[in-house]
Amino acid sequence: MNAKWLEKNKERFPKHIGFIMDGNGRWAKLRGKLRTYGHKIGVDSLVDISKYARKLGIKYVTFYAFSTENWKRPKDEIDEIFRLAKKCIDDNKDDFNKNNIRLNFVGDIDKLPNDLKIAIKNCIKDTKNNDGFVITIAINYGARAEIISAINKIIKAGIKSVDEKTFEKYLQTAGIPDPDFVIRTSGEYRLSNFLLYQSAYSELYFPKKYWPDFREKALDKAIKVYLKRNRRYGNV
Ligand code: FPP
């Protein structure tokens, strides 16, 4: 992105972008490779996009890494996704504190393999005070499960009636602003149970590119699309 253009427009950039990383399998198949190779290169995209978003002054990014529905996939593929997630945390964890980055997770972490669970818990603890840039990974996440769990916590606390502000405190995303912009790659037009409550007013964008090909230039293009949208929040 041109430095002058960036300076002129960055005030209007989205503060929080959610990414539904789709198309890893198809990207790999197109190249005659295993689906898991697509996930491996997909992790490179996640790292590239995080670094670039931070450089552009975007404060929050959230990535949909594994949905509650993804357990239906072959075991080998699931194991490889979790192995790649653990490796990505291990490879980058020193950078987080060095660069004031908080790595946050939403989803039911308890059901994940033990080594990944421990890596996630340590990462949350070690980076919780960093506030320069916040990366949230949605893993074993489903928005409906998140909402139901919030309701159950409210009932357990004996609260009889809540408003939006109170309800949001019981969501796993508490403290993180709603996404201004949600991008799903690969030309599928669905939210697939991603941040359903939080994306009520998000701008949505569905580029054709498969996730492993979604890099800096693609994010530039997406932001330009976002800047052309007219966010009215129900107003005229
Ligand atoms: C969708 O492609 C992508 C995923 C299921 C995400 C894969 C997640 C990771 C590799 C883990 C990342 C986590 C961290 C902590 C870095 P797809 O398989 O649905 O592709 P398809 O639609 O072409 O089949």
Side-chain angles (χ1 to χ4, degrees):
M1 205 176 269
N2 169 300
K4 228 170 152 181
W5 188 90
L6 173 66
E7 207 43 52
K8 198 173 128 215
N9 290 286
K10 72 175 182 203
E11 279 301 304
R12 296 191 301 125
F13 275 21
K15 282 185 183 53
H16 180 183
I17 308 182
F19 294 93
I20 303 175
M21 309 183 284
D22 200 6
N24 290 352
R26 280 166 283 166
W27 182 90
K29 200 174 164 207
L30 218 58
R31 287 159 180 79
K33 307 259 193 200
L34 293 175
R35 294 176 54 80
T36 46
Y37 180 68
H39 295 316
K40 178 173 182 278
I41 307 302
V43 172
D44 295 344
S45 275
L46 181 154
V47 174
D48 269 19
I49 288 293
S50 299
K51 289 185 176 162
Y52 187 53
R54 177 170 172 267
K55 210 167 108 187
L56 294 179
I58 290 158
K59 185 88 190 270
Y60 301 88
V61 286
T62 298
F63 297 95
Y64 205 3
F66 194 84
S67 77
T68 45
E69 286 73 36
N70 286 151
W71 292 103
K72 292 177 198 146
R73 294 187 176 213
K75 185 171 181 304
D76 283 0
E77 182 175 343
I78 296 175
D79 288 348
E80 181 61 9
I81 289 176
F82 292 155
R83 192 191 69 80
L84 288 167
K86 162 92 170 43
K87 183 174 185 310
C88 182
I89 295 170
D90 289 347
D91 290 349
N92 293 287
K93 66 181 176 202
D94 291 342
D95 269 6
F96 297 137
N97 280 329
K98 228 183 285 164
N99 293 302
N100 194 20
I101 296 169
R102 176 176 157 211
L103 190 65
N104 179 44
F105 289 83
V106 292
D108 186 358
I109 279 145
D110 282 334
K111 305 241 159 53
L112 300 175
N114 218 28
D115 61 338
L116 176 60
K117 196 163 67 183
I118 293 168
I120 288 175
K121 285 192 173 162
N122 284 337
C123 214
I124 294 174
K125 182 163 57 77
D126 294 346
T127 67
K128 70 173 192 294
N129 295 322
N130 298 342
D131 60 2
F133 182 62
V134 182
I135 304 173
T136 300
I137 307 287
I139 191 161
N140 195 20
Y141 173 84
R144 289 184 177 183
E146 181 192 26
I147 292 167
I148 300 290
S149 153
I151 294 170
N152 282 323
K153 282 185 217 156
I154 290 166
I155 294 171
K156 232 182 173 168
I159 299 167
K160 291 268 177 319
S161 151
V162 286
D163 55 13
E164 286 182 15
K165 219 171 145 212
T166 311
F167 184 73
E168 285 156 18
K169 285 189 191 141
Y170 289 86
L171 291 171
Q172 287 192 300
T173 50
I176 299 202
D178 290 341
D180 304 289
F181 196 24
V182 173
I183 300 174
R184 180 183 190 140
T185 54
S186 93
E188 306 279 355
Y189 306 100
R190 288 187 296 280
L191 287 177
S192 299
N193 214 4
F194 179 68
L195 300 181
L196 295 184
Y197 181 93
Q198 298 85 341
S199 64
Y201 288 100
S202 306
E203 292 297 329
L204 309 177
Y205 176 53
F206 303 100
K208 288 254 170 331
K209 269 190 195 314
Y210 293 142
W211 177 253
D213 284 334
F214 195 89
R215 302 292 170 116
E216 294 191 6
K217 277 209 173 71
L219 185 58
D220 283 350
K221 191 171 161 201
I223 290 172
K224 283 180 183 157
V225 168
Y226 173 85
L227 293 179
K228 286 208 184 93
R229 302 273 176 94
N230 183 5
R231 303 189 75 196
R232 289 196 299 273
Y233 301 100
N235 212 327
V236 287

